[in-house]
Amino acid sequence: MLFLSFLFGASVASFITSCCYRLGNNHSLTIPQRSYCDNCHCILRWWHLIPIFSFIILRGQCFYCKQKINLYLPVIEFLSGIAFTTFLIYEPIHDLIILLFLTSLIFLTSTDFFSHVIYSYSLLGLFPITLLSIPQNYFYNLIFACILVVSLLLFATFTKTLGIGDIEFLFITCLIWGWYQSLLIIQWSSLIMLFIFVFTRKKKLPFIPALSLVTILCLFIQGC
């Protein structure tokens, strides 16, 4: 069952990232119906599309044109497989909420990674997790969330390092879990981004992937 959960999670991530890539590049979600290489546009065969394993078999490159496959794809598939294996407990309501939460995070992460765009409506998929979380005083959470948003907006105005989507994401996390966990998410996500910046030297990096990863780790520690 663990393997099936892992494969299911990796497959879900593979499908969502494919859709997000098309959205980010203004490609049709339905034409062509089958996956294709974005470099040579050749239609991929079924064995080119097995999550993680195809990346290994193909040695990280397209079967046809030898273009390197983005390392993000096997990484998000692997992490999603681990997350699904960890959180799914085969109870319908619990697993439905977890599925909605994780797919929302994968979607948010992928759209930010591919196009630096956050679709605000996808944040709604995070809210049902409150049914599984430790009870919160949501009135105080709302106050702290508003204070956090104002602080982050001021920070973003002067530093140009945060996008509105990042702030919206943190507003939701503060609303769900409160100020303490939100500050932990910001702290550890920032450390991850600093580490990535040191190695890549890229000035523009997607922040949502780091926020999502730390959010899942917090969820694991909390025990949902």
CSV table of all heavy atoms in Angstrom, one decimal, residues 164-197:
chain,number,residue,atom,x,y,z
A,164,ILE,N,3.2,39.5,-4.4
A,164,ILE,CA,1.8,39.5,-3.7
A,164,ILE,C,1.4,38.0,-3.4
A,164,ILE,O,0.8,37.8,-2.4
A,164,ILE,CB,0.8,40.2,-4.6
A,164,ILE,CG1,1.2,41.7,-4.8
A,164,ILE,CG2,-0.6,40.1,-4.0
A,164,ILE,CD1,1.2,42.4,-3.5
A,165,GLY,N,1.7,37.1,-4.3
A,165,GLY,CA,1.3,35.7,-4.1
A,165,GLY,C,2.0,35.1,-2.9
A,165,GLY,O,1.3,34.4,-2.1
A,166,ASP,N,3.2,35.5,-2.6
A,166,ASP,CA,3.9,35.0,-1.4
A,166,ASP,C,3.2,35.5,-0.2
A,166,ASP,O,3.0,34.8,0.8
A,166,ASP,CB,5.4,35.5,-1.4
A,166,ASP,CG,6.1,35.0,-2.7
A,166,ASP,OD1,5.9,33.9,-3.1
A,166,ASP,OD2,7.0,35.8,-3.2
A,167,ILE,N,2.8,36.8,-0.2
A,167,ILE,CA,2.2,37.4,0.9
A,167,ILE,C,0.8,36.8,1.2
A,167,ILE,O,0.4,36.5,2.3
A,167,ILE,CB,2.1,38.9,0.7
A,167,ILE,CG1,3.5,39.5,0.7
A,167,ILE,CG2,1.3,39.6,1.8
A,167,ILE,CD1,3.6,41.0,0.3
A,168,GLU,N,0.1,36.5,0.1
A,168,GLU,CA,-1.2,35.9,0.2
A,168,GLU,C,-1.1,34.5,0.8
A,168,GLU,O,-1.9,34.1,1.7
A,168,GLU,CB,-1.9,35.8,-1.2
A,168,GLU,CG,-2.3,37.1,-1.8
A,168,GLU,CD,-2.9,37.0,-3.2
A,168,GLU,OE1,-2.6,35.9,-3.8
A,168,GLU,OE2,-3.6,37.9,-3.6
A,169,PHE,N,-0.1,33.8,0.4
A,169,PHE,CA,0.2,32.4,0.9
A,169,PHE,C,0.4,32.5,2.4
A,169,PHE,O,-0.1,31.7,3.2
A,169,PHE,CB,1.4,31.8,0.2
A,169,PHE,CG,1.6,30.4,0.6
A,169,PHE,CD1,1.1,29.3,-0.1
A,169,PHE,CD2,2.4,30.1,1.8
A,169,PHE,CE1,1.4,28.0,0.3
A,169,PHE,CE2,2.7,28.8,2.1
A,169,PHE,CZ,2.2,27.7,1.4
A,170,LEU,N,1.3,33.4,2.8
A,170,LEU,CA,1.6,33.6,4.3
A,170,LEU,C,0.4,34.1,5.1
A,170,LEU,O,0.3,33.7,6.3
A,170,LEU,CB,2.8,34.5,4.4
A,170,LEU,CG,4.1,33.9,3.9
A,170,LEU,CD1,5.2,35.0,3.8
A,170,LEU,CD2,4.6,32.8,4.8
A,171,PHE,N,-0.4,34.9,4.5
A,171,PHE,CA,-1.7,35.3,5.1
A,171,PHE,C,-2.5,34.1,5.4
A,171,PHE,O,-3.1,34.0,6.6
A,171,PHE,CB,-2.4,36.3,4.2
A,171,PHE,CG,-3.8,36.7,4.8
A,171,PHE,CD1,-3.9,37.6,5.8
A,171,PHE,CD2,-4.9,36.1,4.3
A,171,PHE,CE1,-5.1,38.0,6.3
A,171,PHE,CE2,-6.2,36.4,4.8
A,171,PHE,CZ,-6.3,37.4,5.8
A,172,ILE,N,-2.7,33.2,4.5
A,172,ILE,CA,-3.5,32.0,4.7
A,172,ILE,C,-2.9,31.1,5.8
A,172,ILE,O,-3.6,30.6,6.7
A,172,ILE,CB,-3.6,31.2,3.4
A,172,ILE,CG1,-4.3,32.0,2.3
A,172,ILE,CG2,-4.4,29.9,3.6
A,172,ILE,CD1,-5.7,32.4,2.7
A,173,THR,N,-1.6,30.9,5.8
A,173,THR,CA,-0.9,30.1,6.8
A,173,THR,C,-1.1,30.7,8.2
A,173,THR,O,-1.3,29.9,9.1
A,173,THR,CB,0.6,29.8,6.5
A,173,THR,OG1,1.2,31.1,6.4
A,173,THR,CG2,0.7,29.1,5.1
A,174,CYS,N,-1.0,32.0,8.3
A,174,CYS,CA,-1.2,32.6,9.6
A,174,CYS,C,-2.6,32.5,10.0
A,174,CYS,O,-2.9,32.3,11.2
A,174,CYS,CB,-0.7,34.1,9.5
A,174,CYS,SG,-0.7,34.9,11.1
A,175,LEU,N,-3.5,32.6,9.1
A,175,LEU,CA,-4.9,32.5,9.4
A,175,LEU,C,-5.3,31.1,9.9
A,175,LEU,O,-6.1,30.9,10.8
A,175,LEU,CB,-5.8,32.8,8.2
A,175,LEU,CG,-7.2,33.2,8.4
A,175,LEU,CD1,-7.3,34.4,9.3
A,175,LEU,CD2,-7.9,33.5,7.1
A,176,ILE,N,-4.6,30.1,9.3
A,176,ILE,CA,-4.9,28.7,9.7
A,176,ILE,C,-4.2,28.3,11.0
A,176,ILE,O,-4.8,27.7,11.9
A,176,ILE,CB,-4.4,27.7,8.5
A,176,ILE,CG1,-5.3,28.0,7.3
A,176,ILE,CG2,-4.6,26.3,9.0
A,176,ILE,CD1,-4.9,27.2,6.1
A,177,TRP,N,-2.9,28.6,11.1
A,177,TRP,CA,-2.1,28.1,12.2
A,177,TRP,C,-1.6,29.1,13.2
A,177,TRP,O,-1.0,28.7,14.2
A,177,TRP,CB,-0.8,27.4,11.6
A,177,TRP,CG,-1.2,26.1,11.0
A,177,TRP,CD1,-1.7,25.0,11.6
A,177,TRP,CD2,-1.0,25.7,9.6
A,177,TRP,NE1,-1.9,23.9,10.6
A,177,TRP,CE2,-1.5,24.4,9.4
A,177,TRP,CE3,-0.5,26.4,8.5
A,177,TRP,CZ2,-1.4,23.7,8.2
A,177,TRP,CZ3,-0.5,25.7,7.3
A,177,TRP,CH2,-0.9,24.4,7.1
A,178,GLY,N,-1.8,30.4,12.9
A,178,GLY,CA,-1.4,31.4,13.9
A,178,GLY,C,0.0,32.0,13.6
A,178,GLY,O,0.7,31.5,12.7
A,179,TRP,N,0.4,32.9,14.4
A,179,TRP,CA,1.6,33.7,14.1
A,179,TRP,C,2.9,32.9,14.3
A,179,TRP,O,3.8,33.1,13.6
A,179,TRP,CB,1.6,35.0,15.0
A,179,TRP,CG,1.8,34.7,16.5
A,179,TRP,CD1,0.8,34.5,17.4
A,179,TRP,CD2,3.0,34.6,17.2
A,179,TRP,NE1,1.3,34.2,18.6
A,179,TRP,CE2,2.6,34.3,18.6
A,179,TRP,CE3,4.3,34.7,16.9
A,179,TRP,CZ2,3.6,34.1,19.6
A,179,TRP,CZ3,5.3,34.6,17.9
A,179,TRP,CH2,4.9,34.3,19.2
A,180,TYR,N,2.9,32.1,15.4
A,180,TYR,CA,4.1,31.4,15.7
A,180,TYR,C,4.6,30.4,14.6
A,180,TYR,O,5.7,30.5,14.1
A,180,TYR,CB,3.9,30.6,17.0
A,180,TYR,CG,5.2,29.8,17.4
A,180,TYR,CD1,6.3,30.5,18.0
A,180,TYR,CD2,5.3,28.5,17.3
A,180,TYR,CE1,7.4,29.9,18.3
A,180,TYR,CE2,6.4,27.8,17.7
A,180,TYR,CZ,7.5,28.5,18.2
A,180,TYR,OH,8.6,27.8,18.6
A,181,GLN,N,3.7,29.6,14.1
A,181,GLN,CA,4.0,28.7,13.1
A,181,GLN,C,4.3,29.4,11.8
A,181,GLN,O,5.2,29.0,11.0
A,181,GLN,CB,2.9,27.7,12.8
A,181,GLN,CG,3.3,26.5,11.9
A,181,GLN,CD,2.5,25.3,12.1
A,181,GLN,OE1,2.3,24.9,13.3
A,181,GLN,NE2,2.0,24.6,11.1
A,182,SER,N,3.6,30.5,11.5
A,182,SER,CA,3.8,31.3,10.3
A,182,SER,C,5.3,31.9,10.3
A,182,SER,O,5.9,31.9,9.3
A,182,SER,CB,2.8,32.4,10.2
A,182,SER,OG,1.5,31.9,10.1
A,183,LEU,N,5.7,32.4,11.5
A,183,LEU,CA,7.0,32.9,11.6
A,183,LEU,C,8.1,31.8,11.4
A,183,LEU,O,9.1,32.1,10.8
A,183,LEU,CB,7.2,33.6,12.9
A,183,LEU,CG,6.4,34.9,13.1
A,183,LEU,CD1,6.7,35.5,14.5
A,183,LEU,CD2,6.8,35.9,12.0
A,184,LEU,N,7.8,30.6,11.9
A,184,LEU,CA,8.7,29.5,11.7
A,184,LEU,C,8.8,29.2,10.2
A,184,LEU,O,9.9,28.9,9.6
A,184,LEU,CB,8.2,28.3,12.4
A,184,LEU,CG,8.5,28.3,13.9
A,184,LEU,CD1,7.9,27.0,14.6
A,184,LEU,CD2,10.0,28.3,14.3
A,185,ILE,N,7.6,29.2,9.5
A,185,ILE,CA,7.6,28.9,8.1
A,185,ILE,C,8.5,29.9,7.3
A,185,ILE,O,9.2,29.6,6.4
A,185,ILE,CB,6.2,28.9,7.5
A,185,ILE,CG1,5.5,27.6,8.1
A,185,ILE,CG2,6.1,28.9,6.0
A,185,ILE,CD1,4.0,27.6,7.8
A,186,ILE,N,8.3,31.2,7.7
A,186,ILE,CA,9.0,32.3,7.0
A,186,ILE,C,10.5,32.1,7.3
A,186,ILE,O,11.4,32.2,6.4
A,186,ILE,CB,8.6,33.7,7.5
A,186,ILE,CG1,7.1,33.9,7.1
A,186,ILE,CG2,9.5,34.8,7.0
A,186,ILE,CD1,6.5,35.2,7.7
A,187,GLN,N,10.9,31.8,8.5
A,187,GLN,CA,12.3,31.7,8.9
A,187,GLN,C,13.0,30.6,8.1
A,187,GLN,O,14.0,30.8,7.5
A,187,GLN,CB,12.4,31.5,10.4
A,187,GLN,CG,13.8,31.3,10.9
A,187,GLN,CD,13.9,30.9,12.4
A,187,GLN,OE1,12.9,30.8,13.0
A,187,GLN,NE2,15.1,30.9,12.9
A,188,TRP,N,12.4,29.4,8.2
A,188,TRP,CA,13.0,28.2,7.6
A,188,TRP,C,13.0,28.3,6.0
A,188,TRP,O,13.9,27.9,5.4
A,188,TRP,CB,12.4,26.9,8.1
A,188,TRP,CG,12.8,26.6,9.5
A,188,TRP,CD1,12.1,26.8,10.6
A,188,TRP,CD2,14.1,26.1,9.9
A,188,TRP,NE1,12.8,26.4,11.7
A,188,TRP,CE2,14.0,26.0,11.3
A,188,TRP,CE3,15.2,25.7,9.2
A,188,TRP,CZ2,15.1,25.5,12.0
A,188,TRP,CZ3,16.3,25.3,10.0
A,188,TRP,CH2,16.3,25.2,11.3
A,189,SER,N,11.9,28.9,5.5
A,189,SER,CA,11.9,29.0,4.0
A,189,SER,C,12.9,30.0,3.6
A,189,SER,O,13.5,29.8,2.5
A,189,SER,CB,10.5,29.5,3.6
A,189,SER,OG,9.5,28.6,4.0
A,190,SER,N,13.1,31.1,4.3
A,190,SER,CA,14.1,32.1,4.0
A,190,SER,C,15.5,31.4,4.0
A,190,SER,O,16.4,31.8,3.2
A,190,SER,CB,14.1,33.2,4.9
A,190,SER,OG,12.8,33.9,4.8
A,191,LEU,N,15.8,30.6,5.0
A,191,LEU,CA,17.1,29.9,5.0
A,191,LEU,C,17.3,29.0,3.8
A,191,LEU,O,18.4,28.9,3.3
A,191,LEU,CB,17.2,29.1,6.3
A,191,LEU,CG,17.3,29.9,7.6
A,191,LEU,CD1,17.3,29.0,8.8
A,191,LEU,CD2,18.6,30.7,7.6
A,192,ILE,N,16.2,28.3,3.4
A,192,ILE,CA,16.3,27.5,2.2
A,192,ILE,C,16.6,28.3,1.0
A,192,ILE,O,17.5,28.0,0.2
A,192,ILE,CB,15.0,26.7,2.0
A,192,ILE,CG1,14.8,25.6,3.1
A,192,ILE,CG2,15.0,26.0,0.6
A,192,ILE,CD1,13.5,24.9,3.1
A,193,MET,N,15.9,29.4,0.9
A,193,MET,CA,16.2,30.3,-0.3
A,193,MET,C,17.6,30.9,-0.3
A,193,MET,O,18.2,31.1,-1.3
A,193,MET,CB,15.1,31.4,-0.3
A,193,MET,CG,13.7,30.9,-0.5
A,193,MET,SD,13.5,29.9,-1.9
A,193,MET,CE,13.9,31.0,-3.3
A,194,LEU,N,18.1,31.2,0.9
A,194,LEU,CA,19.4,31.8,1.0
A,194,LEU,C,20.4,30.7,0.6
A,194,LEU,O,21.4,31.0,-0.2
A,194,LEU,CB,19.7,32.2,2.5
A,194,LEU,CG,21.1,32.7,2.8
A,194,LEU,CD1,21.4,34.0,2.0
A,194,LEU,CD2,21.3,33.0,4.3
A,195,PHE,N,20.2,29.5,1.0
A,195,PHE,CA,21.1,28.4,0.5
A,195,PHE,C,21.0,28.2,-1.0
A,195,PHE,O,22.1,28.0,-1.6
A,195,PHE,CB,20.6,27.1,1.2
A,195,PHE,CG,21.4,25.9,0.9
A,195,PHE,CD1,22.6,25.6,1.5
A,195,PHE,CD2,20.9,25.0,-0.1
A,195,PHE,CE1,23.3,24.5,1.1
A,195,PHE,CE2,21.6,23.8,-0.4
A,195,PHE,CZ,22.9,23.6,0.2
A,196,ILE,N,19.8,28.3,-1.6
A,196,ILE,CA,19.7,28.1,-3.0
A,196,ILE,C,20.4,29.3,-3.7
A,196,ILE,O,21.1,29.1,-4.8
A,196,ILE,CB,18.2,28.0,-3.4
A,196,ILE,CG1,17.6,26.7,-2.9
A,196,ILE,CG2,18.1,28.1,-4.9
A,196,ILE,CD1,16.1,26.6,-3.1
A,197,PHE,N,20.2,30.5,-3.2
A,197,PHE,CA,20.8,31.7,-3.8
A,197,PHE,C,22.3,31.6,-3.8
A,197,PHE,O,23.0,32.0,-4.8
A,197,PHE,CB,20.4,33.0,-3.0
A,197,PHE,CG,21.1,34.2,-3.5
A,197,PHE,CD1,20.8,34.8,-4.7
A,197,PHE,CD2,22.1,34.7,-2.7
A,197,PHE,CE1,21.4,35.9,-5.1
A,197,PHE,CE2,22.8,35.9,-3.1
A,197,PHE,CZ,22.4,36.5,-4.3
